[in-house]
Amino acid sequence: MSLSSKHLLGLRNTPREDIELIIDTAKTFREVLERPIKKVPTLTGKTIVNLFFENSTRTRISFELAQKRLSADTINFSISTSSTKKGETFKDTVKNIEAMKIDMIVVRHQSAGVPDFLTRISNANIINAGDGRHEHPTQALLDFFSIEEKLGKLSGKNVCIVGDVSHSRVALSNIFGLQTLGANVSVCGPATMIPRNIEKLGVKIYQKVEDAIRENDVLNVLRIQLEREAGGAIPNVNEYHKYFGITRERLEKYNPEIVILHPGPINRGVEITSEVADGPYQLILEQVTNGVAIRMAILYLLGTLPN
Ligand code: CP
């Protein structure tokens, strides 16, 4: 079994077989992470560059760890110490890095479409680690893995994405992938944070978070992205918390069986209380651990594709 594409750019057109193969492979690597020696020789001799043009904690460290666990040689591009600061173009930067004979590029960029652009100027395997408001496929895949670990197959499950959907690449990758896997997908948030016409994607809209909690198996709670102008979409964070905040009281009252996901970083006391973020409903740190296994699976499957 192998993936149908040499790149992972998003989940919009990723077939069900590919998503299932990545999740099944991640299960094997999740077991490797529990061993005393968490390393396998699978990608020995492969060179992978992590090109992060935007801040990241979880995704960058997770990819780097995944590469090291697979015995690949890994290079981290740091924009603050690179010649980008002297005016070198993005294309020249990539062409120069590629001239050093690399095999894969993991890219995060503030502009949507950069991973796709890279496929046209590079021969390396390209993995999207988050591009603007477009997609964040590895985050969505680790979300699916975490849900399936807890609740079994996603087919027929009800999953609601709560919060700042308009500014979220996590939301879009979740919507595409969850639908491919047969889940019922909905969104919930203030009207100013829900993209116009999202129902055309087959997504139900909840106006009240209480209804979303009552009718879903899983809530994927998004961060309020104040740095991406989300602040303009709500009067203030206290108001947001009052109407859409995920609190223990709401979960206990409307659905004590619900499972809570959050991609991080968390705004404690805004979209979610500390009591929920650290409590029994959530899988947040499990998601982070599973993220390493998912990224190992993707690197392995792309790195061992026949030419
Ligand atoms: N979930 C996520 O993408 O987190 P980082 O921005 O820290 O990578």
Side-chain angles (χ1 to χ4, degrees):
M1 291 274 285
S2 56
L3 294 176
S4 62
S5 167
K6 68 173 277 197
H7 309 294
L8 180 66
L9 304 182
L11 297 189
R12 185 189 279 266
N13 295 314
T14 299
R16 183 178 189 132
E17 294 72 24
D18 283 12
I19 296 177
E20 288 178 344
L21 177 60
I22 292 168
I23 293 174
D24 284 345
T25 309
K27 286 177 191 160
T28 313
F29 287 124
R30 183 70 176 79
E31 182 267 318
V32 171
L33 296 179
E34 299 302 326
R35 294 180 192 167
I37 297 173
K38 304 170 180 56
K39 200 165 175 118
V40 288
T42 324
L43 291 188
T44 304
K46 294 279 182 187
T47 305
I48 307 173
V49 178
N50 297 313
L51 274 185
F52 277 65
F53 287 83
E54 198 190 77
N55 294 343
S56 168
T57 298
R58 279 146 290 270
T59 313
R60 196 188 62 72
I61 293 176
S62 174
F63 264 114
E64 190 178 345
L65 258 182
Q67 292 152 7
K68 287 183 159 61
R69 302 284 190 231
L70 294 170
S71 306
D73 294 318
T74 182
I75 309 292
N76 290 313
F77 170 87
S78 166
I79 187 166
S80 61
T81 55
S82 74
S83 291
T84 309
K85 293 286 176 197
K86 299 182 205 164
E88 188 170 50
T89 66
F90 177 74
K91 184 173 177 181
D92 281 339
T93 301
V94 171
K95 287 302 223 185
N96 278 271
I97 291 171
E98 184 158 43
M100 298 181 210
K101 306 294 175 196
I102 52 118
D103 300 295
M104 283 192 225
I105 298 175
V106 177
V107 62
R108 169 171 287 194
H109 202 283
Q110 60 277 14
S111 299
V114 163
D116 182 60
F117 174 66
L118 275 179
T119 65
R120 282 178 265 135
I121 61 169
S122 164
N123 289 319
N125 304 98
I126 307 298
I127 302 174
N128 181 2
D131 62 329
R133 297 178 189 180
H134 179 225
E135 285 222 38
H136 192 352
T138 62
Q139 176 66 47
L141 288 163
L142 74 87
D143 293 343
F144 306 161
F145 182 27
S146 304
I147 296 169
E148 290 200 347
E149 247 192 351
K150 180 81 180 172
L151 301 178
K153 287 286 176 199
L154 267 159
S155 181
K157 297 285 186 306
N158 299 317
V159 181
C160 182
I161 302 162
V162 183
D164 190 3
V165 179
S166 290
H167 293 86
S168 175
R169 54 195 174 208
V170 175
L172 216 45
S173 287
N174 260 268
I175 289 168
F176 295 136
L178 285 167
Q179 289 181 332
T180 302
L181 292 176
N184 307 307
V185 189
S186 55
V187 295
C188 174
T192 47
M193 289 184 165
I194 302 296
R196 234 175 263 161
N197 296 327
I198 195 165
E199 60 273 25
K200 289 192 179 152
L201 293 178
V203 171
K204 177 175 174 173
I205 301 174
Y206 289 98
Q207 267 139 21
K208 292 190 168 180
V209 77
E210 292 80 5
D211 294 337
I213 294 169
R214 190 187 305 109
E215 294 178 17
N216 284 278
D217 303 299
V218 179
L219 297 187
N220 199 343
V221 182
L222 301 176
R223 185 169 65 90
I224 299 303
Q225 299 193 31
L226 301 172
E227 83 282 14
R228 287 180 199 266
E229 305 152 20
I234 49 174
N236 59 60
V237 290
N238 294 336
E239 193 82 356
Y240 179 86
H241 182 72
K242 181 174 166 194
Y243 290 103
F244 293 97
I246 304 303
T247 64
R248 180 178 56 81
E249 293 77 11
R250 280 187 167 134
L251 300 183
E252 276 180 1
K253 182 169 179 188
Y254 294 103
N255 187 354
E257 302 298 318
I258 202 154
V259 170
I260 303 294
L261 270 63
H262 192 306
I266 294 169
N267 294 310
R268 289 175 182 266
V270 181
E271 69 267 5
I272 190 167
T273 60
S274 282
E275 221 177 0
V276 176
D278 302 324
Y281 297 100
Q282 54 80 28
L283 300 179
I284 297 171
L285 292 180
E286 199 62 25
Q287 287 174 265
V288 176
T289 308
N290 289 339
V292 179
I294 280 287
R295 287 165 181 133
M296 285 173 82
I298 292 159
L299 292 165
Y300 162 72
L301 290 165
L302 291 179
T304 54
L305 271 177
N307 285 327

